[in-house]
Each structure stands twice: as C-alpha cells, then as structure tokens.
Amino acid sequence: MDRELDPDEQRRMLSQLFESTSDVLWMFSADWEEVIFINGAYEEVWGRPAEALEGEGVDFIEGIHPDDREAVRTAMERISGGEPTEMEFRVNPREGYSRWVWTRGRPVYEAGEIVRVTGVSRDVTGRKRYEEELRRQNERLDEFASIVSHDLRSPLSVAQGRVSLAREDCDCDEHLAPIADAVDRMASIVDDTLVLARQGRAVDDLERIDVGPLAEECWRMVGAGATGAGLDLAEPFRLRADPDRLRHALENLLGNAVAHAGEDVSVRIGPLGDTGFYVEDDGPGVPDDEREQVFEPGYSTTEDGTGFGLAIVRRVADAHGWDLTVTEGTDGGARFEFHGVELDTDTDAA
C-alpha cells in the first residue's frame, strides 16, 4: 500500500519538482501585482534574478524585448479577463534579448472569480534560430531560382528562336538539328534545376491527400503511352504533404519507371504500415552500387535524361522530413520507399 505523504513532505516534493525543470513556472495575482510563485529557471531564461520581481509583479515586463512588451501586456489583459492565451516573445536583457520563449497562461478561478493567473514559459531559442536559418535558406533559393529563370532562360529563348529562323532560311539541317537538340536539352536542364531549387524549400503547410486519385492523375500525364498493366494502388491511403511537391515527386518516379522499364511497365504504390509508402516497378531495377548515386543531380543512365528527376524526388522527401531509400522491388524492379510519413489508411477519415 502506498504511504501517504504529510503536507510538508508534499510541498517539499513539489518544490523539488518545480526547481528541477528547465521551464519557467509562474503564478501571479489576478491583477499581476503580486508574485505568488516563480521557480529558479526564471533567472536562467530571463537573465534576471527572481528576487527582482518581489513586491512588483509586473516588473517582469522589464525582462522582455521593448518591441514585444505591448503585445505581452495585451496578452496579460486577456488572461486576467478569463481567456487562456499563448504567445512567443524575446527575453533576457543580459544576452541582448536574444532568447525566445513560448508562454502559455491561464486564469485560476475560486467561487466563480478569477483569483490568480498561472502559466509556463519555455525556452524555444533553438527552434526560432532554426526557423530563421530556414527563412534565409529559402531566400537564397528564391534568389537562385530568379537568376536561373531570367538570366539563363532569356538567352536560351533567343538561341531557340535563331535556330528556328536559320532552319527556314537555309538547307543545313544536318548542322542545325544537333544545335537545336543541344539548346532544347539546355532548356530542360534549366527547367529541372529551377524545380530542384524550389523543391528544396522547407514545407510550411501540409494537406491531407488521397494518394490514389493524385497518382492516377500523374500516371495520365507521364504514362499515357504505356501499354503494360499500368498503375496499381495496393490499397487506399492518405498522407499529409504539400500537394504540389508530392505531385512532382510522383510524376518523376512514374516517368522514371517508364523511361527505364519501357512502355509495358507496371507500377505499384502502397503504404508501409502507418509510417511510410512505396512506389515500385517491374523494370530492370537499380544496381546495389548505384542506389545512392541515382539521387545525385545530373546522374542519368539515358542519353536524353537531365539527371534531375530523382534528385527532385529526394529534395521533396527532405523538405517534408521523410527518409527516402531505393531497394529491389517485389518483381525485381526498383522500389522507392518513403519513411517517417504521417499516414491515414482510413479512407473515410476527413
């Protein structure tokens, strides 16, 4: 039978628990004028001793970045008015207000009246810095995409136009045809490079997607000339992803299957438990010593391929936080597996 703790021992244990956490736990009077409780983590996160709050509860505003104080005061008013509130703001004047905290506060009622406000503040500086680095990375990718789109496409368009005019003016197609093919190939590489850059951006908004209809739509685009068994969905399933990027990934995988396995290829798509999915074909497969190389930009085993298709698929997986591997398929072909995916195999789910 569990031993009952006396009130003093309970208080000691709670105090030890509160002091052992890295989160700032706090409780104020309903008017924010009196500090009822705040644990030792406050000094580490806020950069100010807890004693600085004694007698003046709202003095903790001084530890908040000046640009965030008004929003915090508004949040305090909402909590005092009975509305649980959460927000993120910068703290710690000792470190130049470089720390970010996520804070959630709520009112405490007694006999129907708000008598206290309590909450928790968690240091989320690492996450905010990661998000800032992603933002800068996305800006660099946008800049690169702009250069590719404008500075490379424009001269290529001029070259394509001049080749077309030259073909009309002179009977020298044996020389112009290779030039036209080379320019068209360069244009394809530019287009794929642009897609590659954009697919590498971190995914912000995810949608729940029914994979079956999307895969069939992609197959109609890239497998229209295929004469084999075509596309087979092992079982209906849904996942959370960016729809445009998932479409790009599926189109490249299905197009890759047609390009390497021929027009009689069969492709199968299905879930991997509740944590992933696969796309496999019955073609020649990928040799063991090439299974990492196939995802490298520019790697291709066909003369007319740009080598960016599977690199784009890898970028899409990385942007979602998925792991992508290639192995041997059920019928000996290539099998691409995505792991770490949030699936929903219930087709009736919203």
Side-chain angles (χ1 to χ4, degrees):
M1 182 176 179
D2 294 337
R3 178 175 64 89
E4 289 190 11
L5 301 176
D6 62 63
D8 288 340
E9 190 170 3
Q10 289 181 8
R11 283 192 290 271
R12 283 195 300 272
M13 292 184 67
L14 284 174
S15 178
Q16 291 174 353
L17 178 63
F18 292 154
E19 293 304 327
S20 67
T21 180
S22 59
D23 292 341
V24 180
L25 307 175
W26 47 265
M27 181 179 292
F28 289 82
S29 58
D31 59 6
W32 297 89
E33 292 297 327
E34 178 187 357
V35 181
I36 299 173
F37 171 82
I38 195 164
N39 66 338
Y42 173 81
E43 182 168 358
E44 169 64 22
V45 176
W46 247 260
R48 306 172 74 234
E51 291 76 13
L53 301 178
E54 292 181 359
E56 293 185 68
V58 294
D59 188 53
F60 84 97
I61 285 288
E62 298 302 317
I64 297 171
H65 193 290
D67 293 344
D68 297 337
R69 291 175 186 174
E70 190 58 37
V72 172
R73 288 191 180 98
T74 300
M76 292 164 60
E77 293 174 0
R78 288 202 300 267
I79 297 170
S80 296
E83 179 184 348
T85 302
E86 65 180 65
M87 66 179 302
E88 293 180 353
F89 51 88
R90 292 160 289 180
V91 299
N92 201 312
R94 184 188 300 168
E95 299 178 7
Y97 299 105
S98 60
R99 296 226 190 175
W100 281 87
V101 294
W102 166 86
T103 295
R104 178 172 176 80
R106 67 179 184 84
V108 177
Y109 292 85
E110 287 184 6
E113 297 290 332
I114 298 174
V115 294
R116 291 181 295 279
V117 290
T118 186
V120 58
S121 297
R122 177 168 299 162
D123 190 331
V124 293
T125 306
R127 174 174 63 78
K128 296 295 287 189
R129 288 174 178 169
Y130 175 69
E131 290 174 352
E132 177 62 19
E133 176 57 31
L134 284 180
R135 185 189 64 78
R136 288 195 295 265
Q137 180 185 27
N138 287 341
E139 288 178 352
R140 290 193 295 268
L141 287 171
D142 283 340
E143 181 181 3
F144 170 71
S146 177
I147 292 172
V148 170
S149 180
H150 181 270
D151 293 355
L152 294 182
R153 275 183 172 173
S154 294
L156 280 175
S157 296
V158 172
Q160 288 173 320
R162 291 292 184 177
V163 169
S164 296
L165 290 174
R167 279 178 149 174
E168 294 177 2
D169 293 342
C170 68
D171 185 18
C172 51
D173 201 55
E174 60 178 311
H175 300 297
L176 292 176
I179 297 175
D181 291 342
V183 172
D184 289 344
R185 178 170 170 76
M186 289 174 65
S188 296
I189 292 174
V190 168
D191 289 340
D192 286 347
T193 302
L194 187 60
V195 172
L196 187 68
R198 287 173 172 165
Q199 298 308 323
R201 295 184 56 172
V203 173
D204 296 321
D205 299 319
L206 301 180
E207 298 180 18
R208 190 165 296 281
I209 301 169
D210 193 340
V211 176
L214 178 61
E216 290 173 357
E217 183 179 333
C218 293
W219 181 251
R220 287 194 293 269
M221 290 292 295
V222 301
T227 58
L231 179 67
D232 174 32
L233 190 68
E235 64 178 273
F237 69 99
R238 291 175 173 174
L239 55 78
R240 291 184 60 80
D242 179 292
D244 290 335
R245 300 198 209 189
L246 181 60
R247 180 191 307 276
H248 266 114
L250 291 178
E251 286 180 352
N252 278 287
L253 286 173
L254 297 176
N256 183 74
V258 173
H260 291 86
E263 294 184 351
D264 60 347
V265 65
S266 295
V267 182
R268 184 178 179 86
I269 300 177
L272 292 169
D274 57 359
T275 60
F277 69 98
Y278 66 87
V279 179
E280 66 176 8
D281 59 57
D282 59 355
V286 180
D288 291 348
D289 59 353
E290 296 181 21
R291 289 180 179 174
E292 276 303 312
Q293 290 177 274
V294 295
F295 296 114
E296 296 177 2
Y299 180 84
S300 178
T301 58
T302 61
E303 292 184 0
D304 57 348
T306 63
F308 284 92
L310 294 182
I312 291 171
V313 176
R314 168 64 66 82
R315 292 293 193 278
V316 171
D318 289 345
H320 285 84
W322 302 338
D323 292 323
L324 173 62
T325 59
V326 59
T327 184
E328 184 175 337
T330 306
D331 298 318
R335 178 181 172 103
F336 296 88
E337 296 185 348
F338 297 81
H339 298 272
V341 184
E342 182 184 348
L343 293 191
D344 177 9
T345 55
D346 180 4
T347 57
D348 294 328

